[in-house]
Amino acid sequence: TGERIHHRVKEISDCVKGRTAEPNFARCDLSAVARDVVATLGVLAKSRQIALTLEGWEAPIWTIADANRLYSALYNLVDNALPEVSPGGQVRLVRGEQGPDRVEIAVIDDGRGMEPEVRDRLFTAGALSTKRGGSGLGTRIAHDAVLVHGGSISVQSAPGQGTQIRILLPLRSA
């Protein structure tokens, strides 16, 4: 939607300037956020002959969160994964383990994987982009969005072995 595009442009601008806007916490369904990301990037994935799938998002996950920031975080992570995957490959947005006060979210791809120096700097101000035209801002935006929610984000990746990015997000009563 137009509102999401406006929010994403402002987020990129803020990231470049080294600042973060105040979060807008409200009741939201994380499953709907995940479905929106896949619906938005599904056309791009299909055009590249990549399977983009949702796993475990059938039931709603209600929480108090900034839905636009979480959308941007997941969008950036999935969007970063797509160019790393060959035609016929896959990117999965997975709802992992969930407890009463937390949920795990993973973006898993079977792409090229990352060299250690790229992986180790992924969520830092010194993030390196290996994509043509990439800036490294997408992973910083994702990292900042997760941190503002009190969560954590980690990456497992090696050359030729794909990448798994895991987010552990606290759930707040909605």
Side-chain angles (χ1 to χ4, degrees), residues 127-143:
L128 301 169
S129 178
T130 56
K131 292 184 300 202
R132 190 173 69 202
S135 65
L137 292 178
T139 55
R140 284 182 45 204
I141 288 170
H143 178 259

Side-chain angles (χ1 to χ4, degrees), residues 60-129:
I61 305 173
W62 291 103
T63 190
I64 302 296
D66 185 326
N68 283 327
R69 281 204 183 186
L70 292 177
Y71 173 90
S72 288
L74 296 178
Y75 178 99
N76 281 313
L77 296 175
V78 171
D79 188 50
N80 284 347
L82 290 171
E84 303 305 320
V85 176
S86 298
Q90 66 176 342
V91 176
R92 300 166 26 224
L93 181 51
V94 180
R95 172 182 168 182
E97 292 184 27
Q98 181 177 343
D101 61 350
R102 62 163 177 69
V103 65
E104 181 186 53
I105 301 168
V107 176
I108 303 169
D109 71 61
D110 62 2
R112 288 185 282 219
M114 295 178 214
E115 295 291 335
E117 61 273 10
V118 173
R119 180 196 62 225
D120 295 345
R121 296 173 68 178
L122 193 61
F123 300 116
T124 70
L128 301 169
S129 178

